[in-house]
Amino acid sequence: MENEAEKLLTQFDPDRLKKPKPIDVYAVIEKCLGVDYDWKYITPDQSILGATAFNAGYVWVWPEPCYRKGMLPSKLYLSKGSILIDATLTEGDNRGRENFTVMHEVFHQVLHKNCFRRETPDYIHSTTQIALNEKKTLKTSLDFIEYQANACAAAFLMPQNVVRSEFKKRSNNLGAKYPLPCNYMVESIICDMADAFSVSKQAMRYRLNSLKMITFDIPLSN
C-alpha cells in the first residue's frame, strides 16, 4: 500500500515525498485520473460520504443534507469513472475528512477497477462512514478493498518518511523513546501536523500509531 501511494505521489507531486505541503485533492483527480467529479447530498444522514462509478449509471441524490417530511431524492447520471463526494464535507470545518474521502475514492479507481468491471452499467460503489472506520474488522473481500483504499489514502496524504521526520523534529525535546504516549503535549504536535498535512487530527493519530511513533495507552477524545 505504501508503494502504491508513493507511486501516485511521484506522478502527482514528488516534492510531497520530501516535505509537507498544502494539497488540492481534486487536482489529483484531474492530473492523475482525468475523470469527472461532483458534490451532492448523497444521503440525508451522511451515511455515505463518497461514490465511484466504475461503470456509467445513476445514483439517487437529495436536495438537502437533512431529511424533511415529503422530501424526495432525484436521479443523477454519472459517467464511467466519475467520483461523487457528499456535499456536507465541503461545509464547515471538514477539510481533512474531505481530503481523505476524496483520496479514498481515487485509490478505488487506481486499485479496484478490475474488481467491479463485470458489474451492471448502473452499479455504483459507495463508501460509507463504516467503511472509513479504521477499527473495522476485515471479514469480506469488500472489507479488504475498503481497507486498501484507506491505507493508500493515508499513505498518500501522510507519506511515511515525511511524517516520521516531522514528528521526530517536533518531539525531540520530550526526551523519550518511540512510541510516545499520546498525552497533551503529543496531542499538540498531532494538531500542528494535521494542519501541515491537510488531514484530520484523527487521521494523523492513526497514521502516527501505525508508524509506531505514538501509542494509544492514554484514552483520547475526538
Side-chain angles (χ1 to χ4, degrees), residues 101-170:
T101 302
V102 171
M103 291 312 305
H104 179 102
E105 297 302 331
V106 165
F107 278 103
H108 276 319
Q109 297 268 2
V110 172
L111 299 174
H112 303 133
K113 285 182 181 178
N114 287 338
C115 299
F116 299 96
R117 71 181 186 277
R118 290 193 173 89
E119 296 292 345
T120 57
D122 61 349
Y123 178 84
I124 306 295
H125 175 75
S126 299
T127 298
T128 65
Q129 290 271 16
I130 293 175
L132 289 172
N133 184 349
E134 292 282 351
K135 296 182 179 179
K136 180 176 171 62
T137 302
L138 305 180
K139 295 180 179 178
T140 68
S141 57
L142 190 57
D143 291 340
F144 281 94
I145 284 173
E146 295 300 332
Y147 166 77
Q148 289 174 346
N150 270 357
C152 284
F156 182 95
L157 292 168
M158 298 168 280
Q160 57 180 335
N161 292 337
V162 185
V163 168
R164 285 194 184 99
S165 174
E166 286 294 311
F167 187 71
K168 288 179 179 178
K169 181 171 65 178
R170 295 164 190 252

Side-chain angles (χ1 to χ4, degrees), residues 148-195:
Q148 289 174 346
N150 270 357
C152 284
F156 182 95
L157 292 168
M158 298 168 280
Q160 57 180 335
N161 292 337
V162 185
V163 168
R164 285 194 184 99
S165 174
E166 286 294 311
F167 187 71
K168 288 179 179 178
K169 181 171 65 178
R170 295 164 190 252
S171 64
N172 63 3
N173 64 334
L174 299 183
K177 290 184 178 180
Y178 300 103
L180 297 178
C182 201
N183 56 29
Y184 74 94
M185 292 180 290
V186 169
E187 274 290 288
S188 178
I189 295 171
I190 289 171
C191 185
D192 289 343
M193 288 184 61
D195 288 341

